Amino acid sequence: MIELTERPIDSQEVLSRVSSTQAGAVVLFLGTTREFTRGRQTLSLNYECYAEMAEKKLAELDATAHERWPLVATAIVHRVGHLGLGEASVAIAVSSAHREDAFEAGKWLIDTLKEVVPIWKQENWADGATEWVHPGIEPSPTKPPNEKAE
Amino acid sequence: MNVEVKLFAVAKQLSGTESISVELPADATVEELREAISEQHAELRDITARAMIAINAEYVNNKASVPADSEIALIPPVSGG
C-alpha cells in the first residue's frame, strides 16, 4: 500500500500493514528530519508533492518491488506539509519469508523513491533562511539568512 | 496552442504562482516547450534547463510531443524521502 499524508506517521500502524504469519522478516525504514546538515542547523521542514504523480510513481515502485523480490507485503508512507525535527518524513515497511529480500527491497524502495518521486523538501534554517532543496542545484533562498549582529 | 504548466518547489517560488500559461505551436515537442517556457517566463530559464518535464504524470524526454489538453508539469530535481 502507498499513502501521502499530512498527519504524523505512526510507525506501529505502518508495521501492522505488512505483518503476516507468512513473513519471517519485517524491515522498517524511517527517514527522519535531521537537525544539522553540514554544520547548518535546521528548525523545521516543509514537504511538497505533486500528489497525482507522486501516488502514481509510488504505486509503480511498489509493484516493481513485488516483481523483483518475493515479498509478502509492502507499505510506503510519505508525509507532506510542515514537520518538526526528529519526525518521520517517510516510512517504508517490507515483509518477506526471508530477511535478505526484505532488506534488499526496502533499500531499493527508499533509494529509488529519492530519485524519481516528485516530492520536495524545504529547509527552514536556524539562520533565518528558507530554501528548497534540489540536489545538484545551488539554493535560491526564499528568505535570506538574518544579518549577523555587529 | 496554449498550455498550462504546473510548477513546484523552487519553480513555484521563482514565478510566485502554481502554474503558468505557455503559448506553443501545434505539435510542439518537449524541447520546444522548454524553449517556450524560458522565453516567455525568463525567471524560470535556469530551473527549466535542470528540470524534468512530466506529461499526464509521466516523465517524458525532449523528443516527445506535447498533446493538446494534457497535464504538464515542470519537475525540479526531487528531494523527498
Side-chain angles (χ1 to χ4, degrees), chain A residues 72-139:
Chain A
V72 174
T74 52
I76 310 173
V77 182
H78 204 297
R79 178 105 176 259
V80 291
H82 187 79
L83 278 76
L85 293 179
E87 291 197 75
S89 53
V90 62
I92 294 179
V94 182
S95 59
S96 59
H98 302 285
R99 67 184 181 282
E100 287 84 357
D101 296 318
F103 273 117
E104 285 179 16
K107 179 172 184 344
W108 180 83
L109 281 168
I110 183 59
D111 289 349
T112 312
L113 180 155
K114 291 174 81 84
E115 286 175 9
V116 306
V117 179
I119 300 175
W120 299 271
K121 173 169 73 173
Q122 186 181 45
E123 293 269 6
N124 300 312
W125 298 105
D127 61 18
T130 293
E131 292 169 354
W132 286 105
V133 178
H134 295 298
I137 298 181
E138 280 296 301

Side-chain angles (χ1 to χ4, degrees), chain A residues 52-72:
Chain A
E52 181 190 354
M53 184 171 174
E55 285 174 355
K56 181 178 170 189
K57 287 285 145 197
L58 288 173
E60 287 173 10
L61 296 189
D62 192 40
T64 302
H66 279 275
E67 285 166 16
R68 290 179 57 173
W69 290 275
L71 305 177
V72 174

Side-chain angles (χ1 to χ4, degrees), chain B residues 5-47:
Chain B
V5 178
K6 290 175 180 286
L7 302 179
F8 298 94
V10 82
K12 186 164 77 176
Q13 173 197 321
L14 291 168
S15 267
T17 177
E18 294 190 352
S19 71
I20 52 169
S21 176
V22 180
E23 186 58 37
L24 282 181
D27 305 322
T29 64
V30 168
E31 188 163 16
E32 289 168 317
L33 169 68
R34 288 177 182 276
E35 289 164 7
I37 293 171
S38 296
E39 285 169 15
Q40 296 168 36
H41 300 272
E43 74 281 4
L44 296 174
R45 180 185 300 269
D46 290 348
I47 193 66

